Amino acid sequence: MDFLKNYNHEKNIRFSSFKFALIEAQKRNLKNFVETGVARGKVKFFFFTKINWKDGMSTMIFSDYVKFMNGYLTSCDIEKKNIENAKKLINKKNKDFVKFIVDDSLNFLKNYDKEIDFLYLDSLDGHFKQASDHQLKEITIAYKYLHKNSLVLLDDKGSKTNLSIDYMKKNNLRIINETNEQVLLSF
């Protein structure tokens, strides 16, 4: 997984947790990734999208992983502009491995109908009051699509993960990696 070195940047505070999660995903041969909330990047000069390392670059790194594994990434975001920016940020060689959906994550997950190998929940930023409730609703809906080898990665640890973690622990998931920013869980 040589592509990981492209994301090892001093400002990418999520790199270590992404690296751990993807190495674990590869060990489990996980190929079907679902992401709520896309990497947005930064818009410069009204039209130029630039990498925002503090954003973690999830869509980029996941698209590289699924291409490497011959898998598939479905990325959902409620904002069309965020989807447009994420499309610009991913490697053009990865486009056949990614499907972008503009929708509310709860509606998207309700209508999703495939088993999920790797679920990344980052659709509502942690500074919003309702972020914890929203993430809990997401995992409650998505839980039925998980299987015994699935991984769930939660972003914005502490600001929106507490309700979700409690729910998942009650439903037989356990924490297998934890950083200041993210929590990775598995059965």
Side-chain angles (χ1 to χ4, degrees), residues 118-129:
F118 189 103
L119 177 63
Y120 182 55
L121 298 179
D122 188 24
S123 64
L124 193 59
D125 290 334
H127 64 275
F128 289 104
K129 183 180 177 184

Side-chain angles (χ1 to χ4, degrees), residues 19-169:
K19 181 179 177 182
F20 182 94
L22 294 179
I23 289 170
E24 186 64 27
Q26 183 186 24
K27 288 177 189 174
R28 297 171 185 225
N29 197 33
L30 302 183
K31 296 183 179 188
N32 187 28
F33 276 48
V34 172
E35 169 186 47
T36 63
V38 298
R40 300 169 293 225
K42 288 183 181 177
V43 177
K44 296 285 186 177
F45 307 112
F46 303 106
F47 60 88
F48 177 72
T49 303
K50 179 183 173 191
I51 291 174
N52 179 5
W53 290 105
K54 292 180 183 177
D55 194 28
M57 309 317 297
S58 59
T59 309
M60 293 168 56
I61 196 168
F62 293 155
S63 72
D64 280 343
Y65 173 87
V66 295
K67 180 179 183 263
F68 174 76
M69 293 293 289
N70 197 28
Y72 201 73
L73 168 64
T74 306
S75 291
C76 171
D77 200 289
I78 197 167
E79 295 291 334
K80 184 177 181 181
K81 184 145 185 78
N82 292 345
I83 293 284
E84 290 169 0
N85 287 343
K87 285 180 180 180
K88 291 176 190 174
L89 291 170
I90 67 167
N91 186 320
K92 302 293 182 234
K93 295 176 183 177
N94 298 353
K95 67 180 177 131
D96 292 337
F97 298 88
V98 182
K99 180 177 183 178
F100 289 100
I101 301 199
V102 178
D103 198 355
D104 176 85
S105 63
L106 300 177
N107 188 55
F108 160 70
L109 290 168
K110 285 177 189 171
N111 293 305
Y112 195 79
D113 63 354
K114 296 177 183 75
E115 203 170 59
I116 299 173
D117 291 337
F118 189 103
L119 177 63
Y120 182 55
L121 298 179
D122 188 24
S123 64
L124 193 59
D125 290 334
H127 64 275
F128 289 104
K129 183 180 177 184
Q130 67 274 30
S132 290
D133 290 329
H134 185 81
Q135 190 178 78
L136 176 60
K137 288 176 186 173
E138 287 179 321
I139 191 58
T140 303
I141 295 167
Y143 183 82
K144 64 184 174 189
Y145 303 116
L146 302 176
H147 56 80
K148 67 178 182 151
N149 285 321
S150 293
L151 294 172
V152 179
L153 184 60
L154 305 175
D155 197 47
D156 295 335
K157 178 187 159 199
S159 62
K160 68 179 176 188
T161 58
N162 295 336
L163 298 175
S164 301
I165 290 171
D166 288 346
Y167 172 85
M168 287 189 272
K169 283 182 175 180

